[in-house]
Amino acid sequence: MISFLRGTVAHVGLSSAVIDLNGAGMSVNATPQTLSRLRTGEEGKLFTSLIVREDSLTLFGFGTDDEREVFDVLLSVSGVGPRLALAVLAVHEPEAIRVAAHSGDGKAFTKVPGIGPKVAGRIVLELAGKLVPHGTPAGTAAPEASAEAVWKPQVVAAMTSLGWSEKDATSSIDKSLADSPGLAEKGNVAEILRATLRWLGQDGARAGNRIGARG
């Protein structure tokens, strides 16, 4: 594994740089923030993560070891590849990512281009316990109030895919859980979705009965 590169900066582009290692040029993909700290002709050092695919070997570079650690953890989320993980680091500092993952703040991840509510919900769900803010004891639970931020985006996304608007989906979830508060505490996405769809059916039947009575 290539842990870091140190050499003369031969080239700095919009999304990558080339580091000259005793006559061998190594191309490294990096965030704009990391690239802005490199100067052509001067010595540069980047912590690196090597992504191995069947048809390619790609290096990703970071200004700090903490950035690389967060990048590697983000890759553990299903559906998050190296380009998307790098995009997250381009928008948020590593500590901000740790705080968002630990507190279940899915909205923070939707600020990253290419990440919608469904992917954001998956990120905070799968990173729970894997990324904690510095100074937070390992195993410390996220605030109880943040649990909704973990499951709600996923339920909303599932309902919008079935044809409901985001506004109607959110309203229906809230109203259905008013009848079943225990489901919100459990945070089981499938159960909450079924309960909401079941509530919508019952609510539609009640509305139909009211209309029939008026007729």
Side-chain angles (χ1 to χ4, degrees):
M1 177 179 177
I2 303 175
S3 297
F4 70 88
L5 297 178
R6 175 183 286 144
T8 303
V9 179
H11 172 73
V12 179
L14 294 176
S15 59
S16 64
V18 176
I19 307 297
D20 185 341
L21 303 176
N22 297 320
M26 301 288 287
S27 179
V28 187
N29 295 281
T31 65
Q33 297 94 313
T34 297
L35 294 170
S36 69
R37 294 193 287 267
L38 300 176
R39 298 289 181 269
T40 302
E42 299 181 3
E43 183 179 84
K45 177 182 177 180
L46 293 175
F47 294 90
T48 58
S49 180
L50 179 63
I51 304 300
V52 180
R53 299 282 169 79
E54 290 184 3
D55 58 348
S56 67
L57 297 174
T58 307
L59 271 176
F60 290 84
F62 311 92
T64 66
D65 192 40
D66 192 33
E67 290 180 358
R68 178 180 60 183
E69 179 183 348
V70 170
F71 174 84
D72 288 339
V73 175
L74 283 168
L75 292 180
S76 69
V77 178
S78 57
V80 176
R83 300 290 179 183
L84 194 56
L86 197 66
V88 174
L89 282 164
V91 174
H92 297 296
E93 293 291 329
E95 187 65 8
I97 297 171
R98 291 177 180 277
V99 170
H102 184 65
S103 64
D105 183 8
K107 290 184 178 179
F109 292 103
T110 61
K111 296 178 181 178
V112 179
I115 294 182
K118 184 176 181 179
V119 175
R122 187 188 309 137
I123 289 175
V124 296
L125 183 66
E126 295 189 23
L127 290 188
K130 293 183 180 179
L131 284 178
V132 297
H134 289 303
T136 301
T140 300
E144 185 174 335
S146 71
E148 180 177 311
V150 176
W151 57 258
K152 196 166 190 178
Q154 298 179 71
V155 180
V156 170
M159 292 188 65
T160 55
S161 70
L162 293 173
W164 277 275
S165 69
E166 185 173 337
K167 180 180 179 181
D168 288 342
T170 302
S171 175
S172 298
I173 292 168
D174 292 340
K175 291 176 180 178
S176 69
L177 292 184
D179 297 335
S180 307
L183 285 179
E185 296 178 7
K186 290 176 61 179
N188 185 293
V189 173
E191 289 183 7
I192 293 172
L193 177 59
R194 285 195 294 269
T196 303
L197 295 176
R198 186 165 56 247
W199 181 89
L200 282 166
Q202 292 172 350
D203 188 62
R206 288 194 293 268
N209 290 336
R210 288 195 297 269
I211 292 173
R214 287 199 300 269

